[in-house]
Amino acid sequence: AQTVTQSQPEMSVQEAETVTLSCTYDTSESDYYLFWYKQPPSRQMILVIRQEAYKQQNATENRFSVNFQKAAKSFSLKISDSQLGDAAMYFCAYRSATYQGAQKLVFGQGTRLTINP
Amino acid sequence: KAGVTQTPRYLIKTRGQQVTLSCSPISGHRSVSWYQQTPGQGLQFLFEYFSETQRNKGNFPGRFSGRQFSNSRSEMNVSTLELGDSALYLCASSLAPAVYNSPLHFGNGTRLTVT
């Protein structure tokens, strides 16, 4: 079974600065997808960024980028120019590329990110 | 395009009762999955439905069940409620299981409190 570990329960950063959230995972599969979701107080899980395991290039979405290290099974999220609206719970998630497991996400425990003005 | 809609937003039930939660996926999405979120266990996969068939089930007791209708709307049911069932229940929809790159879109969840 796959597992996802987020070792930082809480992080804080000054507005406009950069912060990196850590995530490691364990799997025996070679093909899979990794995601970062944010969950603000509204409770809705919002997709921040995703990475296909077969792609060596790290994904980037505006101020959000990942550092994907497949051999190390590491998938960190970097938020540049942090904004107050980035404050939320961030979850790292794993999704199998097999047909049977395609809709099941395995989540980490989450990292609560606080932005200090 | 309307997002994933979950009803009700809040629910308070008594131990031993049963409850039904509803999820309407994004128009055109045919796959619906359910997750339970608690402070202790985090986010855990409950089950997934596609074309009115359960495709995948998480490690939950048989008291947790679900179904999907022909219009892709889904319901989940919890019978004989226990205090530990208090949680945020999240529904997610996507185009279809075979479309691997189709991301999951989540609703705002239903907060269930069991007293």
Side-chain angles (χ1 to χ4, degrees):
Chain A
Q2 297 84 19
T3 58
V4 177
T5 302
Q6 293 178 249
S7 58
Q8 306 152 316
E10 296 184 354
M11 293 280 285
S12 64
V13 65
Q14 290 296 126
E15 192 177 3
E17 293 190 345
T18 296
V19 64
T20 299
L21 308 184
S22 301
C23 172
T24 58
Y25 60 94
D26 189 31
T27 183
S28 58
E29 298 178 329
S30 58
D31 200 11
Y32 47 87
Y33 301 88
L34 296 166
F35 305 85
W36 279 98
Y37 280 88
K38 66 181 279 189
Q39 187 179 39
S42 68
R43 306 179 329 200
Q44 185 178 23
M45 298 287 281
I46 301 167
L47 179 64
V48 174
I49 198 166
R50 62 185 172 189
Q51 175 80 42
E52 291 90 345
Y54 63 85
K55 288 187 178 178
Q56 292 186 336
Q57 186 174 7
N58 290 324
T60 299
E61 287 286 343
N62 301 314
R63 298 181 296 106
F64 300 87
S65 61
V66 298
N67 183 4
F68 172 49
Q69 303 288 328
K70 190 172 183 179
K73 295 180 181 173
S74 170
F75 183 62
S76 61
L77 173 70
K78 185 171 82 171
I79 306 174
S80 304
D81 186 26
S82 298
Q83 300 175 359
L84 294 177
D86 294 334
M89 197 76 172
Y90 284 80
F91 291 94
C92 177
Y94 172 101
R95 179 178 174 185
S96 173
T98 64
Y99 180 77
Q100 184 62 24
Q103 299 301 301
K104 175 185 174 182
L105 288 174
V106 178
F107 286 93
Q109 289 295 100
T111 297
R112 183 172 303 282
L113 178 64
T114 303
I115 311 295
N116 300 313
Chain B
K1 205 177 208 182
V4 178
T5 304
Q6 291 188 247
T7 57
R9 288 213 70 189
Y10 300 92
L11 207 48
I12 300 175
K13 289 287 187 178
T14 303
R15 197 169 38 181
Q17 288 185 317
Q18 76 165 22
V19 67
T20 298
L21 312 181
S22 179
C23 172
S24 293
I26 291 172
S27 177
H29 284 193
R30 297 168 60 201
S31 179
V32 173
S33 49
W34 289 87
Y35 292 82
Q36 182 196 64
Q37 185 175 20
T38 60
Q41 298 298 316
L43 281 149
Q44 293 185 288
F45 172 79
L46 276 158
F47 28 61
E48 171 210 340
Y49 287 88
F50 174 69
S51 291
E52 302 176 62
T53 302
Q54 187 180 90
R55 290 189 62 251
N56 215 341
K57 191 177 194 303
N59 190 24
F60 279 82
R63 300 185 297 107
F64 291 81
S65 63
R67 59 177 176 169
Q68 187 180 34
F69 302 95
S70 58
N71 62 356
S72 295
R73 190 177 70 85
S74 176
E75 289 181 348
M76 69 162 281
N77 183 277
V78 188
S79 62
T80 319
L81 283 166
E82 300 177 0
L83 295 178
D85 297 333
S86 295
L88 178 66
Y89 289 89
L90 291 165
C91 169
S93 76
S94 65
L95 284 171
V99 185
Y100 299 128
N101 209 21
S102 169
L104 271 64
H105 297 264
F106 285 84
N108 286 72
T110 293
R111 171 79 66 191
L112 172 65
T113 302
V114 182
T115 62

